[in-house]
Amino acid sequence: MSQKLSTEKVAFQLILHSGNARSLLMEAMRFARDNEFELAETKVSEAKYELNEAHRSQTSLIQNEALGTSVEFSILLVHAQDHLMTTITVKELTEEIIYLHKKIENS
């Protein structure tokens, strides 16, 4: 039972930190659209911090499983992993969008 609670806790941490990161990345794109690149870069940095926190949670599960403690399959955990992977994609696209906005502004 305690393993299940631990898995649920990690899942909610993944959702929390990934959601925070995604919101920050959306803000970054809006700042870039308005040519406020310093603010956009600040938001991306804040999002990277949140993603690192999410990765720490994810890593704890991976380490436990590597040590022989099985992780119970859970739709909640799948949902949390989906949030994380989607946010990582949003981060990559946000960085590219900021770059393109800068390039347009400087041309």
Side-chain angles (χ1 to χ4, degrees), residues 91-104:
K91 180 189 76 69
E92 292 167 356
L93 291 172
T94 299
E95 291 172 332
E96 186 65 21
I97 288 168
I98 291 170
Y99 168 80
L100 292 172
H101 277 289
K102 284 180 179 179
K103 191 171 184 174
I104 292 167

Side-chain angles (χ1 to χ4, degrees), residues 10-89:
V10 170
F12 282 117
Q13 288 174 342
L14 284 169
I15 292 167
L16 168 74
H17 292 295
S18 297
N20 289 346
R22 183 161 194 228
S23 294
L24 289 161
L25 292 164
M26 297 305 289
E27 284 183 68
M29 284 190 279
R30 284 190 290 275
F31 282 128
R33 183 177 54 206
D34 295 335
N35 298 326
E36 296 184 52
F37 301 117
E38 225 176 278
L39 289 171
E41 295 293 342
T42 297
K43 293 299 177 183
V44 170
S45 292
E46 292 173 13
K48 286 179 180 179
Y49 173 82
E50 290 290 339
L51 282 171
N52 283 337
E53 291 299 309
H55 275 291
R56 278 187 225 201
S57 297
Q58 181 187 49
T59 300
S60 71
L61 282 181
I62 294 168
Q63 288 173 337
N64 281 340
E65 190 162 334
L67 293 171
T69 304
S70 65
V71 175
E72 186 178 323
F73 174 80
S74 152
I75 293 297
L76 179 63
L77 187 56
V78 171
H79 178 66
Q81 288 293 123
D82 188 41
H83 267 275
L84 178 58
M85 295 309 298
T86 301
T87 302
I88 291 168
T89 301

